[in-house]
Amino acid sequence: SSKKDMLENEITGDFIRDALQELEDNGWLQKSEDNMLTSYDYSGNANQNSETSSARQRFFVRRLRHLQHICQSFEGKLSNSANVVDVSRSLLKGLHPTPAVCG
């Protein structure tokens, strides 16, 4: 993967983190040091969004038959007060369209 591709994926990852942060701010996502603001590499190892984590560790490539995607995974737990409909609406509003649409 090129530096350009990695940077574009990082921009999209930041966009997704912002949308997920809104869920936490609304109390719909449990606050935790292990929340979805941590990206995970393909083998499931947590990599904080810090200067010490290598970009190669935070990204993985998903190869499909005719194309491939640079990916990041995010993880978090909904709080007990979360309403699935409200969370879904917030995610749809906050994540569409992502910067990846134009990349």
Side-chain angles (χ1 to χ4, degrees):
S1 298
S2 71
K3 287 183 181 181
K4 175 191 168 288
D5 292 339
M6 300 287 271
L7 178 59
E8 288 174 352
N9 189 278
E10 184 69 31
I11 291 168
T12 301
D14 290 344
F15 178 83
I16 292 168
R17 273 190 269 305
D18 289 346
L20 295 173
Q21 181 63 52
E22 188 173 324
L23 294 180
E24 187 177 286
D25 294 346
N26 287 333
W28 296 335
L29 204 64
Q30 292 178 7
K31 292 185 187 247
S32 166
E33 290 182 22
D34 300 332
N35 66 15
M36 77 292 153
L37 301 178
T38 300
S39 62
Y40 288 80
D41 66 21
Y42 190 66
S43 61
N45 299 314
N47 295 292
Q48 294 295 326
N49 213 14
S50 71
E51 295 182 26
T52 59
S53 61
S54 156
R56 295 272 177 213
Q57 290 177 320
R58 291 186 309 158
F59 299 95
F60 64 94
V61 176
R62 175 161 294 147
R63 289 176 175 80
L64 303 173
R65 185 173 180 157
H66 297 289
L67 58 105
Q68 57 188 14
H69 292 282
I70 301 172
C71 302
Q72 296 181 62
S73 296
F74 300 91
E75 189 173 288
K77 286 188 171 193
L78 292 177
S79 68
N80 291 335
S81 64
N83 176 302
V84 174
V85 173
D86 292 337
V87 170
S88 299
R89 283 185 181 145
S90 178
L91 286 174
L92 288 171
K93 181 180 175 186
L95 293 176
H96 182 74
T98 70
V101 170
C102 298

